Amino acid sequence: MQRIGFIALPGFQLLSIAVLSVFEVANWEIGEPVYDVHLLSETGGLMRSSIGISVATERFDNANFDTLMVGGSAVVGSLTPGVIRFLRQAVERTRRVASTCVGAFVLAEAGLLDGRRATTHWNRARDLQARFPKVKVEEDRIFIIDGPVWTSAGMTAGIDLALAMVEKDRGTDVARAVARKLVVYHRRAGGQSQFSALLELEPKSDRIQSALAYAKRNLDKPLTVRQLAEAAHLSPRQFSRAFRAETGQSPAKAVESLRVEAARLMMEQSRHSIDVIARQTGFAGSDRMRRAFLRALGQPPQVIRRNARAEATA
């Protein structure tokens, strides 16, 4: 049986411990209690969440854990020397440690992320990097595996991380069955963006939304303003003006963002060559795609692919 410990700090968010449901449902699917789940705290007893609901916790002791997870808290003083000490000692006898959302700050404070790749909620990623310069923060990840250390992005990304743990432990079929029971995606790849280009653009009118949907369906083709305007049933001049007013971007910039997003997913999830991906996502060539990746992501396609393969190997 694999013991799973989740450290709850005062003021934790209830959603952060939702990851434990993944292990609970895995037990149902397997038909026996392969995961033994424990909610932990430094003092034990009732722990009050950020919304005011309290949960029962077990006090830290010398028990060994297969997996030790931690969430974060916005409460000043919630991260005590006792929590840091427990993490540093426990990691020596734990197969893997993990954080959900801003729990990455807890692992970083304990020194467990030094020299490692890690992620956290996109809204706190730059703060994490500034406070802990030894950490290799990647702000646009769903989750990252670097050796025995797993970190996930904000909120529901912890469920993706836990599903990946179950898949590694018990296989794809079990993880897929658990995801189905939880009514979530079986595999939202760790390297997948925390953002969606369409959501970031936030078009307000149906016409602009239709034009963007048309663009996403036809990324492999040349996409001119005239074509997009026709999809929106506007003149090119009206379309360009309305598009910028609603999204704050030019049509060309928006199309590039959609292409980068599509190319990035192919880079991470397929074995196609970079030249093939560039053609299939509408870039004129690999050089143009490389420049677009650097503008949007700060990294060339080769680095994106190398990181994805490293995660898959891990």
Side-chain angles (χ1 to χ4, degrees), residues 181-224:
K181 283 283 179 64
L182 293 172
V183 197
V184 297
Y185 288 111
H186 159 229
R187 182 175 301 174
R188 191 164 54 145
Q192 186 172 327
S193 173
Q194 292 189 38
F195 308 99
S196 161
L198 285 177
L199 289 177
E200 285 292 291
L201 290 167
E202 295 183 332
K204 298 175 179 61
S205 69
D206 290 343
R207 287 185 172 186
I208 301 302
Q209 288 179 17
S210 296
L212 285 169
Y214 171 84
K216 192 166 186 178
R217 292 193 305 269
N218 295 278
L219 290 176
D220 59 328
K221 302 178 178 65
L223 290 168
T224 65

Side-chain angles (χ1 to χ4, degrees), residues 18-293:
V19 299
L20 301 180
S21 295
V22 173
F23 303 108
E24 177 188 16
V25 176
N27 285 342
W28 299 348
E29 288 298 323
I30 295 167
E32 59 178 311
V34 296
Y35 291 113
D36 180 22
V37 179
H38 298 263
L39 194 57
L40 311 173
S41 70
E42 183 176 6
T43 58
L46 291 179
M47 181 65 62
R48 187 178 177 85
S49 68
S50 60
I51 202 171
I53 296 174
S54 296
V55 297
T57 65
E58 303 171 30
R59 188 172 183 173
F60 291 164
D61 58 24
N62 294 322
N64 292 330
F65 289 91
D66 172 81
T67 303
L68 194 60
M69 309 178 77
V70 62
S73 171
V75 175
V76 176
S78 62
L79 182 56
T80 64
V83 174
I84 298 299
R85 186 165 54 250
F86 177 76
L87 273 169
R88 287 174 176 168
Q89 294 171 350
V91 73
E92 297 176 1
R93 55 181 190 272
T94 300
R95 180 166 66 102
R96 60 192 174 198
V97 294
S99 64
T100 65
C101 197
V102 294
F105 285 80
V106 180
L107 295 186
E109 192 69 47
L112 304 185
L113 297 185
D114 287 356
R116 296 188 184 276
R117 297 169 54 235
T119 193
T120 186
H121 192 290
W122 63 267
N123 196 41
R124 297 294 305 280
R126 294 183 182 179
D127 184 24
L128 179 65
Q129 186 66 85
R131 288 177 56 185
F132 303 99
K134 292 182 181 179
V135 182
K136 301 173 183 177
V137 179
E138 297 183 20
E139 64 181 82
D140 194 15
R141 308 279 88 184
I142 296 296
F143 64 84
I144 286 177
I145 308 168
D146 191 328
V149 181
W150 301 48
T151 54
S152 76
M155 304 301 180
T156 58
I159 294 176
D160 297 282
L161 179 144
L163 282 169
M165 288 181 171
V166 170
E167 182 167 358
K168 186 171 181 62
D169 296 341
R170 298 289 165 171
T172 301
D173 290 343
V174 173
R176 184 181 292 114
V178 171
R180 191 180 301 119
K181 283 283 179 64
L182 293 172
V183 197
V184 297
Y185 288 111
H186 159 229
R187 182 175 301 174
R188 191 164 54 145
Q192 186 172 327
S193 173
Q194 292 189 38
F195 308 99
S196 161
L198 285 177
L199 289 177
E200 285 292 291
L201 290 167
E202 295 183 332
K204 298 175 179 61
S205 69
D206 290 343
R207 287 185 172 186
I208 301 302
Q209 288 179 17
S210 296
L212 285 169
Y214 171 84
K216 192 166 186 178
R217 292 193 305 269
N218 295 278
L219 290 176
D220 59 328
K221 302 178 178 65
L223 290 168
T224 65
V225 170
R226 181 174 295 280
Q227 289 173 308
L228 296 176
E230 288 177 359
H233 303 292
L234 293 168
S235 71
R237 185 179 223 175
Q238 288 175 317
F239 172 75
S240 294
R241 186 166 56 245
F243 192 95
R244 187 176 288 277
E246 291 191 25
T247 68
Q249 294 187 17
S250 68
K253 178 64 176 175
V255 168
E256 180 178 282
S257 296
L258 292 173
R259 284 184 166 138
V260 167
E261 182 175 68
R264 176 177 177 167
L265 287 177
M266 291 184 67
M267 198 74 59
E268 294 172 339
Q269 299 175 10
S270 78
R271 295 181 177 273
H272 294 310
S273 70
I274 289 177
D275 287 337
V276 168
I277 292 172
R279 287 198 303 272
Q280 292 187 358
T281 53
F283 289 103
S286 57
D287 285 342
R288 178 173 287 186
M289 184 171 76
R290 182 179 185 278
R291 290 194 295 272
F293 267 58

